[in-house]
Amino acid sequence: MNSLAPLKVFSGTKSRYLAEKICKSLGCPLGEMNIQYFADGEFAVSYEESIRGCEVFLVQSTFPNSDNLMELLLMIDAAKRASARKIIPVIPYFGWARQDRKDKPRVSIGAKLVADLLTVAGVDRVITLDLHADQIQGFFNVPLDHLYASSIYLPYIQSMQLENLVIASPDVGGSKRASSYAKYLGVDLVLCHKQRAKANEVESMKIIGDVQGKNVIILDDMVDTAGTITKAANIMMDNGAVSVRAFASHAVLSDPATERIRNSQLKEIYFTDSIPLRDTSCDKIKVLSVADLIADAITKVNTNESISSHYLI
């Protein structure tokens, strides 16, 4: 029987904050690497220690801008050329995931393109968190471990001990996620039906369900400009909700998201640390770390154990 390959963790530039927490949970040092930048905007990646025969985990979310994805691709290529035994990118936030189908003529399917780029670069498997669309798992021709923030959020929601709780989805697309939470917690489900004037701009919204006298928790996979989730919170409070909180996996938070959250009737909104917060001035925004979850997944991948215990729903 082959012995386990040595495990090493490296980080891209913008995800180092999370990689350090993951390594602390694993009890191992963060690997040394160098990224050299040139005057024309190009950059080169090099590992500052041997990774020959190692199982290499590369922590890097692909949030804007595109340099984060290019940096990850170069890290993969460098690891392949340095004779790593296995190369496993850990992508807590998988960018371009909203481009998962042709929703109008003559558009790209960005999520499939990124999956192909990672595969061609030389990955052996991928670890990611809360993809925008579950079918993206099928875009990869290598194994993909899809982690869910629900394994962190559900115990936290239970610890809040909110009375008259209902779970809500800010749109019909998120109804499956919200329904799973509601079923696990044994509470009612509320849906919001929205119509968009254009991307990132909600024209109208209606509530399907009863929020009168309820403590509402809205669930989403990401918050970009926060237009939808703040509008939903305001409408629910106007319809008699006692309080509205939100839980979302990825804090994209493009302007004017933070200002909208600050001025909304949301009591609190919780994110994971898959993306670093650009603005920490809003006290309504809370962060729960996924470092321990990812560290445990890395350990189990390295030791060939099942990670299904993390799938609460």
Side-chain angles (χ1 to χ4, degrees), residues 203-222:
E203 185 174 34
S204 65
M205 180 178 287
K206 295 179 181 178
I207 298 174
I208 304 171
D210 181 23
V211 296
Q212 180 74 37
K214 305 289 187 179
N215 287 299
V216 183
I217 288 180
I218 304 174
L219 298 171
D220 211 347
D221 66 309
M222 70 175 70

Side-chain angles (χ1 to χ4, degrees), residues 50 76 95 112 141 216:
S50 175
I76 293 165
K112 174 64 169 120
N141 293 321
V216 183

Side-chain angles (χ1 to χ4, degrees), residues 11-87:
S11 171
T13 305
K14 297 294 177 65
S15 292
R16 188 178 180 92
Y17 72 98
L18 179 56
E20 288 174 347
K21 288 189 278 187
I22 291 170
C23 286
K24 183 177 180 181
S25 182
L26 287 169
C28 71
L30 181 61
E32 294 293 329
M33 66 182 309
N34 180 54
I35 301 177
Q36 181 181 4
Y37 294 87
F38 303 102
D40 63 353
E42 285 189 16
F43 46 89
V45 170
S46 62
Y47 292 90
E48 300 299 297
E49 58 188 88
S50 175
I51 56 173
R52 184 179 294 273
C54 294
E55 199 159 283
V56 175
F57 293 84
L58 309 175
V59 181
Q60 178 78 315
S61 286
T62 61
F63 54 88
N65 59 43
S66 301
D67 284 359
N68 294 303
L69 173 60
M70 190 63 195
E71 192 176 278
L72 177 59
L73 293 170
L74 290 173
M75 290 163 65
I76 293 165
D77 186 69
K80 180 175 66 176
R81 297 178 190 280
S83 301
R85 182 172 174 180
K86 285 188 177 180
I87 304 166

Side-chain angles (χ1 to χ4, degrees), residues 110-236:
K112 174 64 169 120
L113 175 61
V114 173
D116 287 345
L117 288 169
L118 291 167
T119 303
V120 171
V123 303
D124 292 282
R125 71 186 306 123
V126 174
I127 298 174
T128 190
L129 175 77
D130 275 346
L131 289 167
H132 182 68
D134 284 343
Q135 67 264 25
I136 292 172
Q137 297 175 65
F139 293 176
F140 288 87
N141 293 321
V142 296
L144 183 140
D145 293 309
H146 189 197
L147 305 177
Y148 294 91
S150 58
S151 62
I152 297 168
Y153 284 165
L154 280 168
Y156 191 87
I157 291 170
Q158 288 175 314
S159 74
M160 298 172 81
Q161 297 182 334
L162 296 172
E163 296 182 353
N164 299 318
L165 175 66
V166 296
I167 298 296
S169 172
D171 52 38
V172 176
S175 61
K176 180 181 176 182
R177 178 187 303 104
S179 178
S180 298
Y181 272 72
K183 184 177 180 181
Y184 183 90
L185 295 168
V187 300
D188 291 336
L189 174 67
V190 172
L191 299 178
C192 294
H193 175 66
K194 67 181 179 182
Q195 292 180 322
R196 287 192 184 274
K198 57 184 179 180
N200 286 337
E201 186 177 318
V202 179
E203 185 174 34
S204 65
M205 180 178 287
K206 295 179 181 178
I207 298 174
I208 304 171
D210 181 23
V211 296
Q212 180 74 37
K214 305 289 187 179
N215 287 299
V216 183
I217 288 180
I218 304 174
L219 298 171
D220 211 347
D221 66 309
M222 70 175 70
V223 173
D224 191 348
T225 61
T228 298
I229 209 157
T230 54
K231 190 176 185 71
N234 294 342
I235 290 174
M236 287 174 183

